[in-house]
Amino acid sequence: MEEERFAETIDSGMAILNEYILDIQNKDSNVLSGEKAFRLYDTYGFPLELTEEILEDKNIKIDIDGFNEEMQQQRERARAAREESSYMGVNNGILDKIPSDLNTSFDGYDKLELQSKVELLISNEKFVDELTEGNSGILVTERTPFYSEMGGQIGDKGTIFGEGFEGIVTDCKKNISNKIVHIIKIKKGKVKINEKITLKVDKIRRNNISKNHTATHMLHKALRMVLGEHVHQSGSYVDEERLRFDFTHFTALTQVELKKVEYLVNENIMKTSTVNTKLMTLDEARESGAMALFDNKYGDDVRVVSVGDFSKELCGGTHISNSGEIGLFKIVSEAGVASGIRRIEAVTGLTALKSVDEKVELIKSIEKDLKCSEKDILNKVSILTNEIKEKDKEIGKLKSKLASGSEGDIIKSIKDINGVKLAVAALKDVDANSLRDLADKTRDKIGEGVVVLGSSINGKVQLIAMATKDAVLKGVNCGKIIKEVATICGGGGGGRPDMAQAGGKSPEKLQEAIEKVESIMAKLVK
């Protein structure tokens, strides 16, 4: 499923990028704006490096300064959103009015259920004394086993209950002064201030999150071992279904490198190493070799998480107790997300097993369709590919012959435009290569003049214009002709004075476009 999601992202990005390319060509430009490049990256998750690579083949550049400006504005918007975001309809303003002397503590590293006193309730942006059945709001307690979203790890979910009431916790966060707040909905009865309640974390969900979080530490270490010590974490996201890890590296990972990283992580999972946590001073953490973003702000004491002797990092998140609990680690995608930043997405445990099962089922389906065993798939695909290539060659030759059959009719329709011969035709089902060959042959036969041909094929339009040297000297410009003709067909293109080609997406307009060539020629040749 993760691979399908990534493929859908690339497909969506390609569709938008193709529209941008067509628009740029229609405007005779060679620059993609920073705003559009950022939209591809931000809205569609399309890597900037891939955009640059595709545009390079089209001789189109990206306005990098504009892209960076958009990126900075996004960071500022995100910062503002964090400061002003709302929790279940409650504005951060009310959350930030939680008394500074109210203490909240997270006691959920080694327990998933505990009792605590209700210190504060919020509903409809107001402090209230109680929350009743069917209502949503914010709950603050002295102690909680719920992990609040931070450090890339998503917040816990679970249940709360007490005498005469039941509720659910849909998220857990911190306000600007680090007070832990639970986003809740009351399912039955009502909860009151100063009441003793039980808070219970969803154990299965927490366990899956913890597996993924520990796996990010192991992935970080494996990347440094395979790629080098320059690799550092630049961002992460961990939930119950997957993990995402951003890191510093300037080139895409090869399949060999990805396999080495994946193997290293799984090898150390299978060592069933104990995952230890220890409080240290920041200096002690540095001396122990723990990895961290040491330019970040930390307290006097930091929490160091070690996976056997393989990985050691500063981390405040939740983790499993033994690497073996991860079960299986599977990378599902690797891509660039910014200059010098790569991203790996991966799955663990049963989700990873499901990913492997989906691949096995896919292979079985391919075996059935190809009527061969798994070991013969590649050989069978190679044979079929070669057969298709041969058939494509035969089809191409047949199309070329069919197109050549139109040559006589085209020559018979030649007109004289101010002393220059003009041959035009609107054809059907002639591909770009055959159309080009036909135009070339026709130009050679007319001696001096211009050939403009169009073909409607597969719901699209192919256009080509060719002119002899003498015609060009008399004012003919194939680039100008093809640009006007293509515009009528809903497309764009261009080229040199002696040869130009284009595409369009409105085949119903082809005849109209071809009929326009005569008047365009009359303006050029005087």
Side-chain angles (χ1 to χ4, degrees):
M1 292 300 292
E2 293 291 329
E3 288 173 300
E4 290 174 6
R5 186 186 306 167
F6 183 69
E8 288 172 3
T9 297
I10 295 300
D11 289 343
S12 299
M14 277 302 304
I16 297 298
L17 181 55
N18 284 333
E19 289 184 15
Y20 289 162
I21 290 171
L22 190 60
D23 184 58
I24 289 169
Q25 291 173 336
N26 284 339
K27 294 177 180 177
D28 281 341
S29 175
N30 67 340
V31 177
L32 178 69
S33 71
E35 183 271 330
K36 288 182 176 178
F38 182 75
R39 183 179 178 223
L40 282 167
Y41 164 76
D42 186 56
T43 304
Y44 297 94
F46 205 65
L48 179 64
E49 292 175 355
L50 187 54
T51 304
E52 288 178 312
E53 185 177 330
I54 292 170
L55 292 182
E56 186 177 353
D57 293 336
K58 308 285 185 182
N59 293 319
I60 298 173
K61 298 178 181 179
I62 295 176
D63 176 9
I64 297 297
D65 289 340
F67 177 88
N68 290 334
E69 184 178 340
E70 291 287 337
M71 180 70 82
Q72 182 59 35
Q73 290 176 6
Q74 174 72 329
R75 290 193 185 104
E76 291 172 359
R77 287 194 296 269
R79 190 178 301 115
R82 284 195 296 270
E83 293 171 356
E84 300 175 5
S85 64
S86 60
Y87 298 94
M88 296 290 287
V90 179
N91 190 277
N92 244 23
I94 190 69
L95 290 182
D96 294 338
K97 291 178 182 177
I98 294 174
S100 59
D101 58 353
L102 188 155
N103 293 317
T104 62
S105 65
F106 171 65
D107 296 340
Y109 284 125
D110 54 3
K111 56 175 74 79
L112 297 179
E113 181 177 343
L114 58 76
Q115 283 193 329
S116 186
K117 186 179 77 169
V118 177
E119 293 284 357
L120 188 144
L121 291 167
I122 296 174
S123 177
N124 296 320
E125 302 186 25
K126 294 179 181 179
F127 294 112
V128 295
D129 293 329
E130 63 181 28
L131 274 174
T132 56
E133 184 174 323
N135 289 315
S136 300
I138 300 294
L139 167 79
V140 180
T141 55
E142 287 181 315
R143 302 164 58 229
T144 181
F146 284 79
Y147 183 85
S148 55
E149 180 179 342
M150 58 182 168
Q153 180 175 327
I154 198 168
D156 280 332
K157 294 182 179 181
T159 56
I160 52 173
F161 51 91
E163 189 173 345
F165 98 93
E166 295 174 8
I168 57 172
V169 177
T170 59
D171 205 351
C172 186
K173 298 178 180 289
K174 284 188 176 182
N175 75 346
I176 198 168
S177 58
N178 282 325
K179 309 301 180 187
I180 302 171
V181 298
H182 308 82
I183 299 149
I184 66 168
K185 183 172 183 178
I186 305 302
K187 305 292 286 184
K188 176 184 175 183
K190 59 185 176 181
V191 61
K192 300 178 181 179
I193 291 288
N194 296 323
E195 183 179 357
K196 277 275 188 179
I197 67 168
T198 300
L199 301 96
K200 185 176 182 180
V201 174
D202 182 333
K203 181 178 180 180
I204 294 175
R205 183 174 182 273
R206 162 73 82 82
N207 192 43
N208 287 334
I209 292 171
S210 298
K211 287 177 183 178
N212 286 334
H213 201 152
T214 304
T216 62
H217 286 214
M218 300 177 75
L219 171 61
H220 191 182
K221 177 63 176 180
L223 285 167
R224 287 170 65 87
M225 291 175 68
V226 172
L227 303 178
E229 297 296 308
H230 66 280
V231 170
H232 290 286
Q233 177 179 338
S234 62
S236 68
Y237 175 83
V238 176
D239 64 18
E240 70 272 29
E241 294 182 349
R242 65 192 174 109
L243 64 93
R244 186 180 72 210
F245 189 76
D246 296 349
F247 57 97
T248 53
H249 191 58
F250 290 93
T251 59
L253 275 69
T254 65
Q255 286 301 309
V256 171
E257 289 170 334
L258 286 170
K259 284 182 179 179
K260 284 182 179 179
V261 169
E262 195 173 78
Y263 181 87
L264 266 173
V265 174
N266 281 303
E267 181 184 38
N268 282 277
I269 286 172
M270 293 176 191
K271 287 181 180 180
T272 62
S273 302
T274 300
V275 179
N276 288 312
T277 60
K278 186 177 180 181
L279 284 176
M280 300 182 183
T281 65
L282 190 55
D283 287 339
E284 288 173 338
R286 290 177 192 268
E287 291 171 5
S288 74
M291 287 190 287
L293 301 174
F294 282 110
D295 56 345
N296 279 11
K297 293 181 180 179
Y298 293 100
D300 294 333
D301 291 321
V302 293
R303 190 166 177 263
V304 177
V305 178
S306 303
V307 182
D309 57 3
F310 181 66
S311 167
K312 183 182 289 187
E313 289 192 35
L314 271 66
C315 182
T318 66
H319 292 271
I320 50 177
S321 59
N322 188 289
S323 65
E325 295 176 41
I326 296 172
L328 178 65
F329 172 85
K330 189 69 182 171
I331 294 173
V332 295
S333 70
E334 189 274 344
V337 293
S339 180
I341 303 294
R342 307 298 300 178
R343 171 175 293 172
I344 281 179
E345 294 197 25
V347 288
T348 65
L350 292 176
T351 306
L353 182 60
K354 183 180 177 182
S355 175
V356 172
D357 285 343
E358 287 172 353
K359 287 184 174 62
V360 171
E361 289 301 316
L362 178 61
I363 290 172
K364 287 181 180 178
S365 178
I366 293 171
E367 287 176 6
K368 184 178 178 180
D369 289 343
L370 295 181
K371 295 181 175 61
C372 68
S373 64
E374 181 180 339
K375 66 179 181 180
D376 292 326
I377 286 177
L378 289 178
N379 185 49
K380 191 68 177 284
V381 169
S382 177
I383 292 171
L384 290 173
T385 301
N386 288 330
E387 288 179 0
I388 291 169
K389 286 180 180 178
E390 290 302 315
K391 291 183 185 299
D392 283 344
K393 287 180 182 178
E394 292 177 18
I395 291 169
K397 289 177 181 178
L398 289 172
K399 284 183 176 179
S400 183
K401 287 181 180 179
L402 288 171
S404 296
S406 305
E407 189 179 325
D409 293 334
I410 295 171
I411 291 175
K412 287 178 184 177
S413 66
I414 289 177
K415 294 183 179 181
D416 186 288
I417 308 297
N418 298 331
V420 177
K421 294 176 184 177
L422 170 64
V424 296
L427 308 170
K428 286 187 178 181
D429 299 323
V430 179
D431 62 31
N433 290 331
S434 299
L435 196 68
R436 187 162 45 249
D437 290 341
L438 180 58
D440 195 38
K441 290 176 182 177
T442 305
R443 180 181 58 178
D444 291 343
K445 287 196 174 182
I446 64 177
E448 176 189 324
V450 184
V451 181
V452 181
L453 304 179
S455 172
S456 57
I457 181 170
N458 299 325
K460 295 182 180 180
V461 174
Q462 296 290 340
L463 295 160
I464 189 159
M466 289 186 179
T468 61
K469 291 181 180 179
D470 291 338
V472 172
L473 291 174
K474 291 182 178 181
V476 171
N477 188 312
C478 290
K480 291 181 179 180
I481 294 172
I482 213 72
K483 182 179 178 182
E484 286 195 47
V485 173
T487 301
I488 296 171
C489 294
R496 305 185 306 271
D498 64 328
M499 200 278 278
Q501 53 189 350
K505 52 188 177 183
S506 302
E508 70 278 4
K509 296 281 189 178
L510 177 59
Q511 187 61 44
E512 177 188 339
I514 290 298
E515 290 173 358
K516 185 75 173 177
V517 175
E518 189 173 335
S519 63
I520 298 170
M521 275 279 293
K523 294 176 185 177
L524 294 173
V525 181
K526 296 179 180 178

